[in-house]
Structures are given as C-alpha cells and as structure tokens.
C-alpha cells in the first residue's frame, strides 16, 4: 500500500482523518479476513462494504462503510486553493479532485484494513454539483468498479445529505420517516419532506442566494476571510443583534421559500458611508450580529411554515455547513419544541460535504431495491449531471414497464 499522507501536505487542502467517530471502528491491519463487517450480505440487498466518493464541490472525500452502515474509514480533504478567489473556482476544484482522489482512495482502503477486492460495490456523488468535479469523482468510481468487476451506484448528493440523519447511532431515537429536512449550505437552501428512500418532496427553496452564500458575501463586505460563515459568527459574538435594523425577507409569507439578496443589499447600504475606509470594529460586530439574527429569524419563520405544510413530520433535521451556526440552531430548536418535535443536526463533519453520507445513501438505496424485489442497482451508464432534482429519485424504484403489454 503506498504511503499517502505526504501526498496531501500543502498540496490543495487540509486532510481530516481519524476523526473520533461514534460510528466508526477502525481496523489497523490490511488484508482483513472476512468478518460480518466485510462479508457479502445479499439477503439485505448489499453485496459487501461500499467504497464511496464525494467530489461535487471543494471537498474531496472517500469513505468505506460496512453493509450495516458502520464507518470503517473516512477521509476528507478540504481544498484550500480557493480562498484567494473568495469562492470555489470550479476548474481548480476539478483539477484538485483529480490530483487527490487516487491517493485518498488508497489511504482510505488502508485505514479500513481492506484491499480493493474486498469492496462489495463502489458509489459516488453523480449530481447535483460542479460538473467538473462530478465527472472526476463519478468517472473514477465507475472505472474502479469496472476494474474490480463490482457494481457502481450513482448517488444524488442532496439525497445523501437528506439521509445522513438515519446513519445508525447518529440521532437518539433514530430518524424514522417522514421528517422535515432543512438543508442550508453554500450551494443549497431548501426544505424537503423526506418520506422514504427515494421519496422526497421539495416544499420550498431559495429564490436567490443560498444561506451560506449570503453569509459568505456579507462576510466579504465586512472584510472577513473565506468561507465567511464561521468568521462572521465569531465577530457577531462581540455585537448587538438589535443594534442595526435589517429587513426580514419573506417573513410571514405563505409557503417556505427563502430570499437573502434584499438583506444583503440592505446591509451593503449601511456600509456605503464608509467607502473604502476600514469599518470601526464595534460597528462591524453589530452588523454581523444583526445580519445573523435576521437570517435566523427568517429561517425560523420559514421552518414554522414548512412544519405546518408537513404536519406528519416526526423530526426536524438540519444539515449543511450553516447548520453549524449556534444562533440558527437555537432558533430551530425552539421551533421544533413548539411543534413537540425532536430536533437533530448531525455533527459538523457529517453536516458538511463528506463521503460517509454518500456511502450510507448508496446502502439505503440497495436495501430499498431489495425490499421491493429489484436487483442490486448498477448505474455504470448514469452520467454526471449539474442538476438532479430529488423528485427524480423515485424513478429508480419504478418497476420496468412491460413493453409488450
Ligand atoms: O455544506 P458546506 O460545507 O459546503 C457546501 O456549500 O456544500 O457549507 C459551507 C457553507 C459556507 O457558505 C460557510 O460559510 C457556511 O456553510 N458556514 C456557516 C458556518 N459554518 C459554515 N455559516 C454560518 N455560520 C457558521 N458557523
Ligand atoms: Zn453538500
């Protein structure tokens, strides 16, 4: 097994490995014997451990999960070549995925103590996302599956976020269907009714910026680094959330769509008198706190509406990088409690882009196919796609039409 750690140092990102993980066991020997974690379990519709790849944005990730969802190993490299540009540059991201993936996959197999031949099948995020990265990750996954003579499962990245809460042991009391998912990240901002594996209804989404995108843009206006969300939250701790009046776009409006561009514009007008001069620290902190409060108020209101649209929800789940925000979380907990619902937000490393969620979505897909009497999915002809509506996922389980009838 080749040494891989040196491949990551200073190249394109920061590797996150060996994260203490309540879900993970971590065998240290390679060429592990077949155990219950590695042997094929065709009864449940799963052929054996899944090797999963994530490359839809600026995280390059690989994970290996046993058929019951135990994480045997996972690695994530957060690419750092984008900060100078103030956002993810698709071309840089795709090239970095290409450079990182071979070593990352080998390192993850090594961490799991498995050889490639012991993998049951391969899965990769195949959409939605940045097309260059998707082509790299899905192409790598398909090639690996072909070389090993194993099936390839194409995973919808948003579906993977949606099913993460169901990882065994993650949410106390489990995450039974149906539940309401709020997905808030740099690229996504939507409310989804998760009704079953492959069964999703989008209740609402942003009509302009994603929540994380708004945090990033406002942080940039305030002269903070990128990604801006965590920096803005830190600065906001020094500020007064009531100091500067800002609008609450769509508050009280029917449905559960979101809008953040008006809020961003209102904030930029507060900055105008300062021109290019540095902002006084307290003023910047007050703006950060007021903006964060406005976002939390709006999101809480939209979720209130979404829960009224989905009275059957058993649970409120929040995923995506913005789920890390403590003020937002506190507001969402209040809304859930008012509806006598549990609130769950996966730990941050599973909220942000990772390959564990990709592997888990693939396992759930295989199990659902088996439960419906369908054969193990093999998506080696599924093309990567920048858009892939969740509603399309039900087609996977539609029995083939009898064309002779
Ligand atoms: O899910 P994620 O890692 O990547 C995607 O965008 O898919 O989310 C990253 C986003 C960034 O926009 C970042 O600024 C935001 O999540 N974010 C936060 C916080 N931590 C990350 N936004 C607000 N408060 C935070 N603490
Ligand atoms: Zn994502």
């Amino acid at each position: 097994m080749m040494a891989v750690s040196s491949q990551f140092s200073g190249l394109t990102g920061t590797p996150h490995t060996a994260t203490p993980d309540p879900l993970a066991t971590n065998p240290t020997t390679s060429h592990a014997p077949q155990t219950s974690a590695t042997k094929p379990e065709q009864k449940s519709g799963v052929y054996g451990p899944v090797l999963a790849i994530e490359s839809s944005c600026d995280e390059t990730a690989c994970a290996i999960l046993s058929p019951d969802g135990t994480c045997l190993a996972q690695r994530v490299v957060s690419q750092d070549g984008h900060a100078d540009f103030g956002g993810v540059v698709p071309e840089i991201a795709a090239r970095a995925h290409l450079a990182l993936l071979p070593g990352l996959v080998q390192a993850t197999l090594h961490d799991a103590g498995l050889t490639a031949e012991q993998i049951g099948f391969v899965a990769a995020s195949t959409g939605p996302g940045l097309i260059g990265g998707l082509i790299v990750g899905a192409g790598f996954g398909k090639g690996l599956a072909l070389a090993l003579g194993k099936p390839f499962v194409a995973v919808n990245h948003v579906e993977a976020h949606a099913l993460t809460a169901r990882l065994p042991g993650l949410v106390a009391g489990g995450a039974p269907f149906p539940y309401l998912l709020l997905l808030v990240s740099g690229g996504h901002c939507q409310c989804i009714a998760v009704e079953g594996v492959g069964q999703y209804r989008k209740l609402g989404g942003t009509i302009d910026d994603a929540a994380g995108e708004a945090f990033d843009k406002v942080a940039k206006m305030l002269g903070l680094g990128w990604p801006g969300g965590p920096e803005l939250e830190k600065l906001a701790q020094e500020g007064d959330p009531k100091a500067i009046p800002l609008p609450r776009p769509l508050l009280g409006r029917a449905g559960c769509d979101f809008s953040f561009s008006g809020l961003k514009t209102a904030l930029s007008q507060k900055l105008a008198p300062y021109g290019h001069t540095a902002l006084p620290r307290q003023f910047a902190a007050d703006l950060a706190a007021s903006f964060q409060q406005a976002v939390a108020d709006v999101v809480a209101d939209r979720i209130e509406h979404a829960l009224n649209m989905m009275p059957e929800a058993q649970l409120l789940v929040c995923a995506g990088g913005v789920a890390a925000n403590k003020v937002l979380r506190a507001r969402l907990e209040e809304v859930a409690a008012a509806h006598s619902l549990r609130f769950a937000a996966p730990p941050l490393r599973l909220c942000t882009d990772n390959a564990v969620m990709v592997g888990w979505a693939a396992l759930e897909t295989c199990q659902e196919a088996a439960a419906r009497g369908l054969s193990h999915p093999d998506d080696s002809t599924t093309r990567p796609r920048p858009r892939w509506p969740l509603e399309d996922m039900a087609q996977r389980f539609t029995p083939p039409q009898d064309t002779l009838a």
Side-chain angles (χ1 to χ4, degrees), residues 54 56-59 78 88 157 161 183-188 210-217 219 225-234 291-292 295 319-328 348 350-354 357:
E54 164 56 37
S56 67
C57 193
D58 61 337
E59 261 86 28
S78 295
V88 178
H157 177 87
H161 276 300
L183 179 57
V184 270
S185 69
H188 309 287
E213 194 181 353
F215 267 98
D216 291 339
K217 287 177 177 171
W226 184 86
E231 301 251 344
L232 190 144
E233 180 173 22
K234 209 163 133 203
F291 168 79
Q292 180 175 259
V295 172
V322 184
N325 189 281
K326 292 187 197 65
V327 172
L328 179 67
L348 189 57
L350 293 172
C351 264
T352 53
D353 288 349
N354 66 88
M357 68 178 191

Side-chain angles (χ1 to χ4, degrees), residues 55-58 60 79 82 88-101 130-137:
S55 63
S56 67
C57 193
D58 61 337
T60 315
Q79 301 173 4
H82 307 280
V88 178
V89 183
E91 178 72 6
I92 293 177
R95 285 169 189 264
H97 289 308
L98 195 58
L100 288 162
L101 259 179
L130 299 176
I131 191 64
L134 292 168
I135 289 172
V136 171

Side-chain angles (χ1 to χ4, degrees), residues 246-268:
L246 289 171
R248 277 25 181 189
L250 301 188
L251 195 91
R253 194 81 64 85
C256 59
D257 282 340
F258 301 83
S259 168
F260 296 105
S261 70
L263 179 54
K264 204 180 56 193
T265 309
L267 195 133
S268 72

